[in-house]
């Protein structure tokens, strides 16, 4: 269960203060897929950074299954991020000199999974996202965009995190592949009982989510 | 491909530094060897004096003894060279004047030998050379008499402070005059007793007579006069400063010749090579560090997104730093191994080229002649300032002659030992540490949120 209350983040720039996130309050249940829609510069990526513990909020709280995360120090945020948060990026962001399997194993390494279990877990995750077994040992450059995103999803879910943050996960994919990827996210969320937040500007992708939220000038509101 | 390029550039820089280190060590060894072989003596002679051919006013024992008070001077050996014309002694010179003696004798007829001239011929007789010395021990074994290889074959040396009418004579002179220990001869109308016979292996040197300094000063009416002195310095590193002090003390009265000073000028090209190799060594190590630093910085910048992603996935700064330091260390180790081998291979030709280029640009090293009027009276043969042929590296009365020193100095042997290997290892560590430092600082500053936001 994710609970966010009165989350605020302001950037101080030469042109003045930018209130990227203002009094954001919402919650999401385990296994729920929530879409966050917003135009460029609306604050959705900042919100994702705060929820992913990549950045510290100025005010507010983030609670995952009863654990307060907003006030963790840098080391604490790093530790929690490696075990409880998974990321899926628009550009996939796989490590180019590692194979698909090694990319998944890397997340397990950071989460300090037992070394002897990592290989099998990575293979299971790649199978779950539908990547051909023969492609597990290929490097990202030898995979298609859809395949790379599947690997990224496998990596995000590998350490059994409670929160998955997907930032424009279909932005670099064609429509058909994009829909398959969202379906995959939903399936994985259900299977692992993880909360999935998908940031997108594509209304059709958003409609595949359980709930839709819209962010504008840092203010989040529910779309009926 | 870029990694290969970085390794190659590092290898070149490390090879250069290794070769410079080897060149520097080889040249340093050569310099030390030459300096050590030149001894710790300084020769003092009257201004303008050069054997029996030169002029000048004799120095005095007061002047010379005063040098003992100079710092780092351990002893001063004094000598007075005189000649005995045939009219002044019962001794017969064993040395035929020969063509050169006649030639020099006729052109410098007053230089000491006896001569008779007829309407169509000139006959020159080589004078007997007498050396008065206050250091007969060193004189006999190679001090004031100048040869350096004289050895007593019979009898004994006289006391340094002796005022007796005694002499140690060369065996050639002894043979010619049928003299042995206990025999007597006359000089300056005084009966002199032979107390020893020496051999130096040279006909000219073995025709000399060694006598107590005070005796020669008295008999030759040269009271307190000294024609040569050898100042002995306590340490090879103090020779230059003592040389300056002696020169300052005696002023224009004397010519002060330090073999160290002379050799120092001969060694100037090698010192230049040493300086060049030192600076190049430092420069190449710094250069290698900068190359690695810039390369790593470029790599980190290019992989900034990757670092951000790794941090987002939960990687700690330490784990990412470890990865990058491992990369830079790998580059450095590979570069060091290749550079070490290449450096050893090119060190000899580079050293030779540096020495040759440096020697060729220094006029003073050409010719290899160094003044030879050393600790004792200078070797002057044929009666008038003839300098006998010397080897490529022979002593002359405490002075050194470097006939062909150039060849000796440019023959430098290069070698790489454990110290070179240790240097390569330490240099590699320094390069890796410097090369990684800025990259590490950059990695620590990367904030994943900023990297990912830029998407």
């Amino acid at each position: 269960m994710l609970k966010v209350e009165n989350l605020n983040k302001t950037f101080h720039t030469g042109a003045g203060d930018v209130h990227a996130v203002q009094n954001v309050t919402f919650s999401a249940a385990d296994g729920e897929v929530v879409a966050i829609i917003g135009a460029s510069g609306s604050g959705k990526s900042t919100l994702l950074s705060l929820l992913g513990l990549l950045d510290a909020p100025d005010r507010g709280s983030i609670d995952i299954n009863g654990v307060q995360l907003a006030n963790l120090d840098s080391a604490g945020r790093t530790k929690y991020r490696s075990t409880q948060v998974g990321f899926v990026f628009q550009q996939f962001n796989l490590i180019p000199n590692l194979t698909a399997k090694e990319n998944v194993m890397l997340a397990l390494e950071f989460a300090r999974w037992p070394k002897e279990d990592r290989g099998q877990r990575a293979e299971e995750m790649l199978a779950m996202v539908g990547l051909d077994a023969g492609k597990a040992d290929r490097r990202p450059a030898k995979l298609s965009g859809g395949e790379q995103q599947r690997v990224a999803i496998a990596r995000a879910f590998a350490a059994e995190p409670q929160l998955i943050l997907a930032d424009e996960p279909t932005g670099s994919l064609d429509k058909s592949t994009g829909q398959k990827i969202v379906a995959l996210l939903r399936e994985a969320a259900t299977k692992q009982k993880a909360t999935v937040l998908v940031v997108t500007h594509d209304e059709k992708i958003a409609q595949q989510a359980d709930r839709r939220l819209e962010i504008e000038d840092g203010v989040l509101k529910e779309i009926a | 491909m870029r990694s290969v390029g970085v390794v190659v550039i590092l290898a070149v820089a490390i090879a250069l530094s290794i070769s410079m280190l080897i060149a520097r060590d080889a040249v340093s060894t050569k310099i030390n060897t030459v300096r050590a072989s030149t001894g710790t003596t300084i020769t003092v002679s009257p201004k303008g004096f050069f054997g029996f051919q030169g002029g000048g006013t004799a120095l005095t024992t007061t002047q010379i003894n005063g040098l003992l008070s100079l710092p780092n001077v351990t002893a001063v050996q004094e000598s007075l060279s005189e000649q005995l014309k045939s009219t002044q002694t019962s001794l017969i010179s064993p040395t035929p004047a020969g063509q050169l003696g006649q030639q020099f004798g006729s052109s410098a007829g007053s230089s000491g030998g006896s001569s008779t001239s007829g309407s169509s011929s000139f006959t020159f007789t080589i004078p007997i050379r007498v050396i008065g010395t206050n250091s007969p021990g060193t004189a006999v074994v190679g001090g004031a008499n100048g040869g350096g290889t004289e050895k007593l074959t019979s009898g004994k040396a006289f006391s340094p402070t002796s005022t007796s009418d005694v002499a140690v004579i060369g065996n050639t002179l002894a043979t010619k005059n049928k003299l042995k220990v206990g025999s007597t001869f006359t000089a300056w109308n005084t009966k002199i007793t032979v107390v020893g016979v020496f051999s130096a292996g040279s006909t000219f040197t073995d025709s000399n007579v060694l006598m107590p300094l005070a005796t020669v000063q008295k008999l030759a009416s040269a009271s307190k006069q000294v024609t040569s002195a050898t100042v002995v310095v306590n340490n090879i590193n103090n020779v230059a400063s003592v040389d300056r002090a002696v020169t300052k003390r005696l002023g224009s009265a004397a010519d002060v010749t330090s073999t160290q000073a002379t050799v120092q000028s001969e060694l100037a090209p090698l010192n230049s090579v040493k300086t060049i190799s030192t600076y190049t060594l430092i420069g190449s190590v710094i250069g290698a560090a900068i190359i690695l630093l810039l390369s790593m910085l470029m790599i980190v910048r290019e992989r900034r997104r990757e670092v951000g992603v790794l941090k987002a996935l939960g990687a700690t700064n330490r784990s990412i730093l470890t990865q990058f330091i491992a990369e830079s260390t790998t580059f450095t180790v590979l570069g060091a191994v290749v550079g070490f081998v290449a450096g050893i291979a090119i060190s000899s030709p580079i050293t030779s080229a540096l020495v040759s280029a440096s020697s060729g640009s220094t006029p003073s090293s050409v010719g290899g002649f160094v003044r030879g009027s050393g600790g004792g009276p200078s070797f002057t043969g044929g009666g008038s300032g003839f300098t006998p042929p010397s080897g490529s590296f022979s002593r002359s009365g405490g002075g050194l002659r470097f006939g062909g020193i150039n060849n000796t100095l440019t023959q430098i042997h290069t070698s790489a030992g454990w110290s070179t290997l240790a240097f390569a290892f330490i240099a590699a560590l320094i390069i890796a540490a410097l090369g990684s430092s800025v990259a590490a600082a950059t990695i620590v500053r990367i904030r994943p949120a900023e990297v990912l936001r830029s998407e």
Side-chain angles (χ1 to χ4, degrees):
Chain A
M1 180 72 174
L2 169 68
K3 285 184 183 176
V4 179
E5 287 185 11
N6 290 318
L7 206 60
N8 283 271
K9 182 70 178 179
T10 301
F11 293 108
H12 306 287
T13 67
D17 290 350
V18 176
H19 302 288
V21 173
Q22 297 184 64
N23 299 318
V24 167
T25 299
F26 76 99
S27 62
D30 294 343
E32 188 176 25
V33 177
V34 178
I36 300 175
I37 306 169
S40 180
S42 60
K44 57 184 189 297
S45 290
T46 302
L47 177 60
L48 232 54
S49 290
L50 295 175
L51 297 176
L53 306 182
L54 299 177
D55 220 341
D58 298 330
R59 288 198 314 276
S61 66
I62 302 168
D63 182 312
I64 296 181
N65 289 344
V67 179
Q68 269 294 337
L69 307 179
N71 298 321
L72 290 174
D73 61 9
S74 176
R77 289 204 300 270
T78 299
K79 185 180 178 185
Y80 205 84
R81 199 161 57 229
S82 65
T83 56
Q84 299 301 327
V85 181
F87 287 94
V88 179
F89 305 100
Q90 180 179 350
Q91 297 295 336
F92 324 131
N93 285 331
L94 299 175
I95 306 303
N97 57 346
L98 299 180
T99 64
K101 183 179 173 182
E102 288 168 341
N103 266 281
V104 179
M105 289 172 69
L106 190 65
L108 295 168
E109 181 185 335
F110 293 148
R112 302 191 178 180
W113 269 56
K115 202 170 186 178
E116 59 274 16
D117 296 343
R118 292 175 197 166
Q120 187 183 346
R121 174 67 178 171
E123 288 170 4
E124 287 172 4
M125 293 308 298
L126 290 173
M128 186 189 88
V129 297
L131 188 77
D132 294 343
K135 295 181 178 178
D137 292 327
R138 290 188 186 177
R139 292 189 175 181
K142 299 287 183 184
L143 300 173
S144 68
E147 288 170 333
Q148 287 189 54
Q149 198 61 301
R150 286 172 188 272
V151 175
I153 291 170
R155 181 178 68 181
F157 281 94
E160 296 180 336
Q162 291 171 321
L163 177 62
I164 300 292
L165 302 172
D167 190 358
E168 302 279 8
T170 60
S172 299
L173 304 173
D174 59 66
K175 186 182 285 184
S176 167
T177 307
Q179 287 178 343
K180 287 178 184 171
I181 289 297
V182 174
L184 190 59
L185 281 170
R186 168 180 285 284
E187 184 186 332
T190 305
K191 194 176 285 183
Q192 295 203 4
K193 292 185 170 56
T195 301
V196 176
L197 297 184
V198 180
V199 166
T200 181
H201 61 269
D202 187 332
E203 186 62 36
K204 288 186 178 175
I205 294 296
Q207 283 175 356
Q208 290 183 257
D210 298 320
R211 287 164 56 205
R212 288 183 296 158
L213 303 174
E214 184 176 17
I215 187 166
E216 188 175 357
D217 294 333
V219 178
L220 192 73
K221 60 184 179 185
E222 189 100 20
I223 300 174
Chain B
M1 196 63 196
R2 181 183 56 199
S3 301
V4 173
V6 171
V7 170
V8 168
I9 294 171
L10 277 176
V12 169
I14 290 173
L16 187 60
S17 64
I18 291 288
S19 63
M20 286 297 118
L21 178 72
I22 293 174
R24 184 178 176 281
D25 286 350
V27 168
S28 294
T29 302
K30 189 72 178 182
I31 289 171
N32 291 337
T33 303
V34 172
R35 286 186 69 203
S37 69
T38 59
T40 58
T41 59
I42 295 170
T43 302
V44 179
S45 57
K47 190 78 173 178
F49 181 81
F50 191 79
F52 295 118
Q53 195 174 40
T57 303
L59 297 167
T60 66
T61 50
T62 307
Q63 285 175 302
I64 298 302
N65 288 339
L67 301 179
L68 266 173
S69 64
L70 293 175
N72 303 314
V73 173
T74 57
V76 177
Q77 300 161 3
E78 303 169 40
S79 65
L80 171 64
S81 287
E82 288 293 339
Q83 294 178 104
L84 284 171
K85 296 177 185 175
S86 56
T87 55
Q88 294 175 305
T89 181
S90 61
L91 293 172
I92 299 169
S93 173
T95 311
Q99 182 190 354
L100 292 173
Q102 294 290 351
Q103 194 175 317
F104 285 115
S106 63
S107 63
S110 63
S111 66
S114 301
S115 63
T116 56
S117 60
S119 58
S120 59
S121 66
F122 175 88
T123 303
F124 177 73
T125 304
I126 292 177
I128 305 295
R129 187 163 175 247
V130 178
I131 300 161
T133 176
N134 69 344
S135 55
T138 53
V140 171
V141 296
N145 197 35
T149 56
E150 304 91 333
K151 284 191 169 60
L152 276 172
T153 56
S154 62
K156 60 180 181 181
F158 45 81
S159 157
T161 56
S162 173
T163 57
S164 304
D165 298 331
V166 294
V168 177
I169 63 174
N171 63 358
T172 303
L173 184 66
T175 303
K176 178 71 177 179
N177 292 278
K178 297 183 174 58
L179 297 174
K180 57 185 180 182
V181 173
S183 302
T184 60
F185 63 91
T186 57
W188 293 292
N189 298 318
T190 303
K191 189 167 77 177
I192 308 296
T193 303
V194 176
V195 294
V197 178
F198 70 83
S199 172
S202 154
T203 301
F204 177 74
T205 307
D206 290 345
S207 300
N208 290 343
V209 176
L210 294 180
M211 293 175 65
L213 175 63
T215 303
V216 176
Q217 287 174 333
K218 176 186 67 181
L219 297 179
S221 300
S223 177
K224 296 188 176 178
Q225 289 185 12
V226 174
T227 54
S228 181
T230 300
V231 178
V232 182
V233 183
N234 62 354
N235 187 295
I236 197 165
N237 295 318
N238 295 325
V239 173
S241 63
V242 172
D243 186 310
R244 287 192 295 274
V246 170
T247 302
K248 187 178 179 184
R249 173 71 64 89
L250 298 177
S252 60
D255 283 328
V256 180
T257 308
S258 157
T259 51
Q260 281 286 309
T262 311
V263 168
Q264 204 61 34
S265 69
E266 294 293 328
L267 291 175
L270 293 188
N271 281 319
S272 298
V273 172
K274 190 178 171 185
T275 304
I276 290 168
S277 54
T278 301
Y279 284 126
T280 310
L281 168 66
I282 295 168
S284 52
V285 170
I286 293 173
I290 291 173
I291 289 166
L292 186 67
L293 187 149
L294 293 176
S295 301
M296 290 308 297
L297 202 57
M298 187 174 68
I299 290 170
V300 169
R301 281 183 178 278
E302 284 182 0
R303 291 164 63 181
R304 191 165 176 266
R305 171 173 295 278
E306 181 184 324
V307 172
V309 170
L310 289 172
K311 286 190 175 185
L313 294 178
T316 60
N317 279 329
R318 179 185 290 181
S319 64
I320 299 172
L321 284 176
T322 303
Q323 181 190 333
F324 276 84
I325 289 172
E327 282 186 34
S328 69
T329 304
T330 303
F331 289 153
T332 309
V333 168
L334 287 174
V337 170
V338 175
F340 184 75
V341 174
I344 290 174
I346 64 173
S347 62
S348 185
I350 280 188
T351 305
S352 298
L354 281 172
V355 171
S356 297
S358 193
S359 298
S361 63
T362 309
S364 66
S365 65
V366 176
F369 176 78
V370 178
R371 288 174 55 185
S373 53
S378 64
F379 277 108
T380 52
S384 53
F386 168 68
T387 303
S390 58
S392 61
F393 196 93
S394 63
R395 292 195 60 181
S396 173
L400 279 169
R401 292 180 192 286
F402 298 104
I405 188 173
N406 242 11
N407 293 335
T408 308
L409 290 182
T410 52
Q411 288 166 2
I412 292 177
H413 173 68
T414 56
S415 64
W418 287 108
S419 60
T420 311
L421 189 61
F423 165 80
F425 178 71
I426 292 169
L429 280 183
I430 293 172
I431 290 168
L434 289 175
S436 304
S437 58
V438 175
T442 307
I443 287 170
V444 170
R445 281 202 302 269
I446 291 176
R447 296 180 63 211
E450 291 174 4
V451 174
L452 300 176
R453 191 177 292 128
S454 65
E455 278 196 337

